[in-house]
Every structure is written in C-alpha cells, then in structure tokens.
Amino acid sequence: MLLLNLMACSSGDKDVVLFEKLDSKKTHIDFSNNITETKDFNILDYLYFYNGGGVSAGDINNDGLVDLFFVSNQGKNKLYLNKGNM
C-alpha cells in the first residue's frame, strides 16, 4: 500500500492546507519501487543505489487533469491517468 504524502512551503498561515495525505484505497495508486541487491548491483559498486526512482506530475493526455508518472530503479515504470473524482 502506498500513501502519497506531498509537502510544500507555507505562506505562514496555519489554516492553509496545500496537500492532503490520501490512502491508496481511495487513490488507487499502488506503485512500489522495490530494489534487489546483486553481486554487481549494490551500494558498494553503485553509490546512489538507494536514492530511488522518481515521480512527476503533469497533464499527460491534455484533459486538464494532473496525471502522475512513477519511475522505478529496477521494476516497471507506471503512469496513473487522472480520471477525476478519485
């Protein structure tokens, strides 16, 4: 289960909520960046082994909704198209 937790700078107003933590059951985002060490691929030979993949947000299909693209180190990347209303 992946919980998406985003953070941003605040204007100083304690009542302003910029991002909300949502459960994967609601968002249907189940991405996991699993890493498997091998003799040739490990922290000793590859300094950035545990730095992870990445995530980007943008309107991929030009429908006005922000979509998410998750990048994996060793697994498959995954695109989540935003269909609106969770």
Side-chain angles (χ1 to χ4, degrees):
M1 174 171 61
L2 171 78
L3 292 177
L4 186 60
N5 188 13
L6 303 173
M7 300 174 75
C9 298
S10 172
S11 64
D13 186 352
K14 293 181 182 180
D15 295 332
V16 175
V17 177
L18 299 177
F19 296 100
E20 180 182 350
K21 189 175 189 177
L22 300 173
D23 190 277
S24 64
K25 291 177 184 171
K26 183 174 183 180
T27 63
H28 304 286
I29 295 175
D30 61 357
F31 180 82
S32 180
N33 184 27
N34 299 315
I35 301 173
T36 304
E37 288 189 44
T38 66
K39 180 180 175 257
D40 298 322
F41 195 62
N42 57 64
I43 190 69
L44 297 175
D45 294 324
Y46 183 62
L47 181 61
Y48 304 106
F49 186 74
Y50 289 109
N51 282 13
V55 63
S56 64
D59 186 4
I60 303 297
N61 56 355
N62 203 26
D63 64 356
L65 300 171
V66 177
D67 307 307
L68 298 175
F69 184 69
F70 288 85
V71 180
S72 175
N73 287 48
Q74 296 176 319
K76 292 183 178 181
N77 301 328
K78 199 160 185 185
L79 173 63
Y80 291 91
L81 294 176
N82 186 345
K83 297 179 181 178
N85 298 323
M86 293 292 165

